[in-house]
Amino acid sequence: MGAQGYASDDRNEHVRIYVNGQFFTRSTATVSVFDAGFVLGDGVWEGLRLVRGNLVALDDHLNRLFEGANAIQLDIGMDRKGVEDAIRATLAENDMHDDVHIRLMITRGMKKTPNQDPRFALGKPTIVVVAEYKAPNPITMKKGLKLLTSTVRCSTPDVFDLRLNSHSRLNYIQALIQAINAGCDEALMLDQRGFVASCNSTNFFILRGRELWTSTGSYCFNGITRAKTIELYAEEMGVVQQKDFTLAEVYSADEAFITGTLGGITPIAAVDGRTIGDGGTGPVTRAINDSYLRRIGVV
């Protein structure tokens, strides 16, 4: 199922979901049709990973969450410890310790009427924590993913700042639909100038020789796994270039991979029908992935 796929786990049918301080089953966990998140995607979110009892990069995720909420003037209604406590309470409620992906969602809450104006919000945010057992699919790591370059471009900060982890994701969904319809797994997206920016739900890297290239970050969401990968490669393996590069340079890359919270580091087999490298997991991608898994405590 592409970059967001995972190994199926029957335990997920019985998880209990946190909604505004209470726990509900999957079938009874709901928010109002007047909720700002439902009405117009007015909210911020984070995806976190639990590995052997450790919430990976928790501080980084909370930093991004509060920065995003501040940018859209959304009062979360609790401090960092309160948010962390809600996450940990959800894990405790479900007796979860490993191979868990957590979706933390915070919206502006109930509105008096379904419109765009934040002044119609009734005051309290909606806070939801969904924790599910999600281990990366081992077949994906072995075979790699196929990408299609979408006609949908990443936006400039004056149009929509992609550093905001906003509930509004329609442009990314449009790009992914194009990729799915072409038989691919994920969409590669360009910036307004035609340089490679990112994928629809992940960040994108290529290897040329021993140099690791990724975009400048000016026109894409700056993923936390992206930052950790840049840091790791620079410390252990070689030169990292955050730079503008084109599709022609992607097609002739030695290896390519994507990064994200759920999948970690996932190899790319082909882009726009062009096989990348040997069309599977290259040796450097494998080495980076092994090092990353050690760092987050998987191995």
Side-chain angles (χ1 to χ4, degrees), residues 162-183:
L162 297 175
R163 289 167 184 77
L164 291 174
N165 228 11
S166 161
H167 281 227
S168 303
R169 279 290 189 266
L170 190 56
N171 57 331
Y172 292 128
I173 295 169
Q174 287 178 294
L176 179 56
I177 288 170
Q178 286 185 333
I180 292 170
N181 287 344

Side-chain angles (χ1 to χ4, degrees), residues 4 6-17 26 48-50 90-91 94 96-105 129-136 262:
Q4 298 176 69
Y6 55 93
S8 179
D9 195 314
D10 292 341
R11 291 176 294 178
N12 289 328
E13 295 303 314
H14 307 289
V15 298
R16 291 175 61 78
I17 295 163
R26 293 183 77 97
L48 300 94
R49 189 173 176 183
L50 180 74
T90 305
L91 296 173
N94 291 288
M96 290 172 152
H97 306 282
D98 193 21
D99 279 340
V100 176
H101 184 265
I102 301 141
R103 183 73 167 228
L104 168 65
M105 297 169 277
V129 185
V130 179
E132 297 175 298
Y133 292 101
K134 288 184 178 179
L262 175 59

Side-chain angles (χ1 to χ4, degrees), residues 4 10 22 28 41 45 67 71 101 142 145 262 285 297:
Q4 298 176 69
D10 292 341
Q22 295 181 281
T28 59
W45 62 274
E67 183 175 330
H101 184 265
K142 182 177 180 181
L145 300 177
L262 175 59
T285 300

Side-chain angles (χ1 to χ4, degrees), residues 196-269:
V196 173
S198 74
C199 293
N200 60 275
S201 70
T202 54
N203 289 120
F204 181 73
F205 291 79
I206 62 172
L207 278 151
R208 293 178 63 90
R210 297 296 295 184
E211 284 193 355
L212 182 64
W213 292 7
T214 191
S215 70
T216 64
S218 298
Y219 302 95
C220 69
F221 53 96
N222 285 204
I224 290 167
T225 309
R226 174 185 189 267
K228 301 298 182 188
T229 302
I230 292 169
E231 177 185 304
L232 179 156
Y233 194 86
E235 286 180 3
E236 298 184 6
M237 298 181 181
V239 175
V240 181
Q241 298 260 22
Q242 295 182 61
K243 58 178 289 182
D244 292 329
F245 58 95
T246 69
L247 283 173
E249 291 168 305
V250 170
Y251 299 151
S252 58
D254 297 305
E255 300 178 35
F257 61 84
I258 56 174
T259 61
T261 297
L262 175 59
I265 294 170
T266 306
I268 298 303

Side-chain angles (χ1 to χ4, degrees), residues 18 26 69 108 153 169:
Y18 177 106
R26 293 183 77 97
R108 207 175 297 273
R153 300 293 180 98
R169 279 290 189 266

